Amino acid sequence: MKAVIIGTTTLIAAAGLGLYTWNVSQNAKQTPCGDTAVASSAIGGPFELVSETGETVTDTDVITKPTLVYFGYTFCPDVCPLDSARNAQAAYLLEDEGYDIGTVFISVDPDRDTPQVVGDFTENFHENMIGLTGSAEQVSVASKAYRTYYRKQDGDDEYYLVDHSTQTYLMMPDTGFATFFKRDHTPEQIAEITACFMDTEV
Amino acid sequence: MKLNTLIASAFLILVAPAAWAESNITVMHPTAFETAPTAMAGGGFMHISNDGDTDDTLLSVEADFPRVELHTTEFTDGVAKMMHVEGVPVPAGGMVALEPGGYHVMFMGLQGDPFEVGETIPATLIFEHAGEVDITFEVVERTMEHNH
Ligand SMILES: [Cu+2]
């Protein structure tokens, strides 16, 4: 009896969390790749940002192959490097298996993250990781397209912190959003699920 | 002889209560990860144990940077919120971990002087009871590194 009650509570809590996070849990179902599907049309789309070399680039310039997309900021010494290193590791694992995969880091701190700063940051994790920044407006548009959240904390002009979403998106050049990964996904899990999506893409 | 014992006993009685009131802090593996050349901030990590019988708190960290703070990160619905904390509790007989994804020492204002592997960063930890503890952070490579 007790076990049943605990089970039910956990289920309700889990369902509630899913609903709150994605607001699409009625559509959630297990897919053949073992991830949790969400309404794909809701995530991704056009953006215009600035590359590591200072050029203006669009989503079609950047996502030319299956790509892992993450939003963060370089002033973050802990979570963002950890997640970026994890994504880079997943990419290396995939490349070892012969998959052509891209990784992208989009700054949500355009005031401090210049193209050079973002370029240096991404270079540390994977030689091909693309670092993007832009104007406040450009970053806002990209973040909204991907349904990510970020907010600059008040109270400090120079050493401010930025709250931000930590999910990583798997985007396909033709079909767009495929799935997303949370912080607790390992490089191996990301590589496996991504490979599955790439295998089933025609 | 008898006098010596007496003096020793008196000394013990005087010293013992003071020792009891203090925590016994050990700091293990103070580590910082290497940063990019243009990085503006870096993180410091370590394990702190308290073998005393008084709870202690790490109040602050001093090091040669424009700003050094104790931070933690909270995760709510996939959103990471890094924040300043007033202190990191180190319970009597316990241990606290400053680890990636949780508590960390935030070194701010590195501009132009990144953390490089092999470099050391001297710092002083300030505890509520144990007072000042000098440590040296060692800069290391990120562990999740692929062999390419
Ligand atoms: Cu911090």
Side-chain angles (χ1 to χ4, degrees):
Chain A
M1 192 56 201
K2 202 175 179 186
V4 172
I5 291 165
I6 290 166
T8 309
T9 312
T10 309
L11 261 178
I12 290 165
L17 187 70
L19 200 75
Y20 184 77
T21 310
W22 291 102
N23 207 17
V24 284
S25 83
Q26 69 272 27
N27 296 333
K29 59 174 195 282
Q30 285 298 112
T31 71
C33 290
D35 63 317
T36 305
V38 297
S40 60
S41 58
I43 294 167
F47 62 69
E48 198 179 87
L49 290 163
V50 176
S51 77
E52 295 160 30
T53 52
E55 288 165 84
T56 300
V57 292
T58 67
D59 51 306
T60 51
D61 298 326
V62 172
I63 303 167
T64 56
K65 52 186 169 184
T67 301
L68 298 168
V69 179
Y70 182 85
F71 290 76
Y73 69 119
T74 76
F75 194 74
C76 147
D78 186 21
V79 171
C80 302
L82 212 58
D83 293 349
S84 298
R86 189 267 323 253
N87 289 349
Q89 178 72 6
Y92 281 127
L93 292 172
L94 283 159
E95 284 159 2
D96 285 350
E97 300 287 317
Y99 293 95
D100 191 16
I101 177 84
T103 47
V104 171
F105 177 92
I106 301 176
S107 172
V108 292
D109 183 14
D111 287 349
R112 284 182 302 197
D113 285 342
T114 63
Q116 198 202 337
V117 167
V118 173
D120 283 350
F121 181 81
T122 53
E123 177 72 26
N124 246 14
F125 303 113
H126 192 295
E127 61 271 22
N128 295 331
M129 187 180 284
I130 297 171
L132 300 174
T133 184
S135 66
E137 176 60 23
Q138 287 171 323
V139 167
S140 168
V141 167
S143 170
K144 280 202 184 86
Y146 281 78
R147 302 287 167 108
T148 69
Y149 169 89
Y150 69 99
R151 195 188 70 87
K152 180 177 163 177
Q153 292 182 23
D154 300 328
D156 201 309
D157 286 342
E158 198 175 0
Y159 301 127
Y160 59 87
L161 307 174
V162 183
D163 307 341
H164 65 99
S165 304
T166 53
Q167 61 268 25
T168 292
Y169 299 101
L170 172 60
M171 304 301 293
M172 299 297 188
D174 298 325
T175 51
F177 174 84
T179 191
F180 73 97
F181 302 102
K182 295 182 181 175
R183 291 208 69 236
D184 51 12
H185 278 95
T186 64
E188 290 76 16
Q189 288 170 324
I190 292 179
E192 194 183 322
I193 293 168
T194 300
C196 174
F197 273 97
M198 290 173 74
D199 289 340
T200 51
E201 275 260 301
V202 191
Chain B
M1 192 62 188
K2 202 177 175 185
L3 187 67
N4 275 351
T5 312
L6 250 171
I7 290 166
S9 304
F11 184 72
L12 265 178
I13 288 160
L14 280 173
V15 164
W20 278 48
E22 273 179 24
S23 62
N24 187 0
I25 293 293
T26 311
V27 178
M28 288 150 288
H29 314 300
T31 305
F33 290 114
E34 61 174 330
T35 70
T38 48
M40 296 167 275
F45 305 91
M46 69 193 111
H47 286 191
I48 305 170
S49 71
N50 178 359
D51 300 326
D53 40 24
T54 303
D55 292 343
D56 208 339
T57 303
L58 173 60
L59 297 174
S60 61
V61 180
E62 289 173 1
D64 190 19
F65 296 93
R67 177 100 51 99
V68 183
E69 288 178 358
L70 286 166
H71 281 186
T72 192
T73 305
E74 276 183 8
F75 298 92
T76 312
D77 298 320
V79 173
K81 184 186 177 69
M82 182 162 53
M83 60 186 84
H84 177 87
V85 289
E86 291 305 323
V88 177
V90 193
M95 194 197 68
V96 66
L98 282 75
E99 292 185 319
Y103 285 123
H104 57 271
V105 179
M106 180 94 164
F107 301 103
M108 291 176 270
L110 313 190
Q111 282 92 336
D113 187 13
F115 290 177
E116 286 161 312
V117 175
E119 190 185 335
T120 53
I121 301 160
T124 302
L125 307 183
I126 318 278
F127 290 90
E128 185 180 5
H129 297 295
E132 298 188 0
V133 176
D134 290 331
I135 59 163
T136 304
F137 288 94
E138 210 160 307
V139 179
V140 298
E141 227 179 317
R142 290 211 164 260
T143 44
M144 207 191 280
E145 205 67 53
H146 198 74
N147 310 316
H148 263 247

